[in-house]
Amino acid sequence: MKASAPGFIRYALCVRSQAQLRHGCAAVLLFCLPVFALSNDPAGVGSARLGSSIPPHQPVHASNTVTASLRQLAAPQGFFIGAAVEAQTLRDDAGYRTVLAREFNMLVAGNAMKFGPLCPQPDQYDFTNADTIVAFAATNGMQVRGHTLVWHQQLPLWLEHGTQTPAQVKAILRKHIQTLVGRYRGRVAMWDVVNEAFDDNGPALRDSFWLKKLGPEYLAWAFQWAHEADPAAQLVYNDFGIEGMNAKSDAALALVTRLKAAGVPIHAVGMQMHITPEMPARLAENIARFRTAGFAVQFTEVDVQLPMPVQPTALAQQADIYRALLETAMTSGINTFVMWGFTDRHSWVPHFFKGKGAALPFDEQLQPKPAYTALHAVLTQAPSRR
Ligand code: G3I
């Protein structure tokens, strides 16, 4: 999408409807209008916060270089390629902002929309970071994934260690979901409603705070409350370890199928795709069975971690994996490919896996790695999906 007009023109990626996005259909580009930043920020949140909380965001000039960006290649395919972001990094790192806005048409908050960071005290929400991310996305014509409404980690301490009764916990969760989803109604296209409900290795449900307090009914309740708060949002069950054909993906398929049959508004399954340089077993077959059961499938947290110090051969192997993942996504009816970050400068991997890192397509100097080149090649060569 190249600017034809001079000046600070931003493009809104206009999809026909949230409903189309929700059902995992390729978003059909009706038109791409040059819009000015504030005009596509209906609540005005972005303009206020952008003015006060981060330096004036330099627009993404339409690239007049020969090489198209990932988002410029993805958009005509109705494909969303994105990354997880942190608000503070958006504020602090101009290079990070520039690459993000140039290359991606979807964002997800890595931490800012989780219950604990949002609500450190009962009924006291701090939306500063979440608003910064949503505003940045609006300014740069990007869709937003909401992450995550119900998870066993990063809960507020007042809740996790509280003495609330089950009935009180149910009311707290309902109010949380409707507060958060309601605030971003129409501005967050999809929500990871429940994240990682199964044990790490499946197939049993995780004995989480939510299961202990509410029983398995919490799963259906969460989706229903999210749907009430934003009927147009695509509602996703998100998990790791369900990418290949295995006992955990079997259990996840059975769960979402059962919920859907009971009338629960669950539209998609997110495969996180936190992997080492090895493809999940029978990935395409697994995707197909979720789609046959009526669910859109998304890759929601892609990264391919490498042993450190990284070797050139490992970078080539990583590129092959990124290529295979994107090729599989594009030939399996997936239209959402979101990575958990985009640069090794800001990645969770080294903090959680000793001796591992370099998991993303840009290096610590924000330079493209072979993995980026592989993604670019797949999008360049992709037959039109229209
Ligand atoms: O913000 C606080 C900071 O104030 C404090 O000084 C610092 C030291 O205690 O902690 C900071 O919070 C950290 C937060 O990341 C923000 O950096 C938390 O300790 C840390 O636990 C948290 O880690 C996050 C992790 O989820 C929690 O399990 C990662 O950033 C985040 O990338 C990761 O993301 C998850 C997805 O949500 C779900 N799928 C798996 C994925 C990787 O674990």
Side-chain angles (χ1 to χ4, degrees):
M1 293 182 289
K2 281 183 70 66
S4 53
F8 296 158
I9 298 290
R10 294 169 179 79
Y11 286 83
L13 173 67
C14 309
V15 293
R16 180 176 294 172
S17 74
Q18 296 288 358
Q20 269 218 318
L21 198 65
R22 186 173 91 187
H23 291 296
C25 314
V28 176
L29 293 183
L30 278 179
F31 48 84
C32 285
L33 273 181
V35 291
F36 291 95
L38 304 190
S39 65
N40 65 3
D41 179 21
V45 167
S47 55
R49 293 192 184 289
L50 280 178
S52 57
S53 56
I54 58 177
H57 174 64
Q58 291 306 312
V60 178
H61 288 284
S63 160
N64 52 16
T65 54
V66 172
T67 305
S69 69
L70 297 178
R71 72 177 288 179
Q72 286 173 326
L73 294 167
Q77 305 280 349
F79 197 82
F80 293 96
I81 187 155
V85 297
E86 299 300 335
Q88 197 56 50
T89 312
L90 277 181
R91 294 184 189 102
D92 297 345
D93 190 336
Y96 177 89
R97 288 201 301 270
T98 300
V99 175
L100 197 61
R102 184 187 73 224
E103 297 293 339
F104 303 103
N105 57 11
M106 182 170 276
L107 295 184
V108 58
N111 287 288
M113 292 190 182
K114 293 170 177 174
F115 203 169
L118 268 180
C119 189
Q121 296 302 329
D123 292 322
Q124 290 182 27
Y125 277 85
D126 180 355
F127 288 107
T128 305
N129 288 336
D131 285 351
T132 296
I133 292 167
V134 171
F136 183 86
T139 299
N140 291 286
M142 306 163 101
Q143 291 287 340
V144 178
R145 298 195 84 255
H147 175 84
T148 177
L149 301 177
V150 187
W151 192 26
H152 63 283
Q153 294 192 36
Q154 291 177 275
L155 294 175
L157 297 180
W158 57 265
L159 177 63
E160 191 168 19
H161 303 300
T163 57
Q164 297 89 350
T165 66
Q168 289 170 329
V169 169
K170 181 177 178 180
I172 287 167
L173 180 56
R174 178 172 195 165
K175 187 174 180 183
H176 171 62
I177 289 175
Q178 300 204 328
T179 300
L180 180 53
V181 177
R183 180 181 182 85
Y184 297 113
R185 180 175 175 143
R187 292 192 289 158
V188 170
M190 58 190 72
W191 283 98
D192 289 338
V193 175
V194 175
N195 189 50
E196 303 175 11
F198 288 99
D199 278 342
D200 286 359
N201 301 311
L205 281 180
R206 184 184 303 277
D207 192 23
S208 68
F209 169 86
W210 301 111
L211 189 70
K212 287 188 179 77
K213 284 284 188 179
L214 301 179
E217 294 81 2
Y218 84 87
L219 293 153
W221 291 338
F223 281 95
Q224 280 154 353
W225 296 334
H227 186 63
E228 287 166 11
D230 187 350
Q234 182 180 41
L235 303 183
V236 186
Y237 174 73
N238 192 52
D239 211 333
F240 65 88
I242 61 169
E243 297 85 359
M245 296 288 281
N246 56 47
K248 189 171 182 178
S249 60
D250 292 349
L253 178 59
L255 172 70
V256 295
T257 301
R258 189 167 64 248
L259 289 173
K260 182 182 177 73
V264 173
I266 179 167
H267 311 118
V269 170
M271 298 180 177
Q272 291 183 8
M273 204 62 75
H274 292 295
I275 59 176
T276 57
E278 185 179 344
M279 287 297 281
R282 300 159 62 192
L283 174 60
E285 183 183 342
N286 189 38
I287 294 167
R289 65 173 179 164
F290 278 94
R291 296 197 67 227
T292 301
F295 300 97
V297 175
Q298 301 167 358
F299 291 170
T300 55
E301 306 184 14
V302 183
D303 49 30
V304 182
Q305 59 179 258
L306 300 177
M308 301 299 282
V310 70
Q311 303 300 319
T313 50
L315 287 174
Q317 199 185 14
Q318 181 186 57
D320 290 343
I321 296 295
Y322 269 101
R323 177 183 298 105
L325 289 176
L326 186 53
E327 283 173 347
T328 302
M330 298 195 81
T331 53
S332 302
I334 290 176
N335 76 339
T336 299
F337 186 101
V338 173
M339 293 169 278
W340 207 243
F342 69 90
T343 166
D344 298 337
R345 180 185 293 183
H346 303 288
S347 169
W348 71 293
V349 170
H351 305 287
F352 283 75
F353 299 93
K354 188 168 170 42
K356 296 294 183 67
L360 292 162
F362 285 85
D363 67 17
E364 305 224 2
Q365 288 69 46
L366 300 179
Q367 295 306 306
K369 295 159 60 177
Y372 173 88
T373 307
L375 294 173
H376 196 278
V378 171
L379 288 168
T380 301
Q381 293 150 17
S384 170
R385 289 155 51 107
R386 286 175 184 256

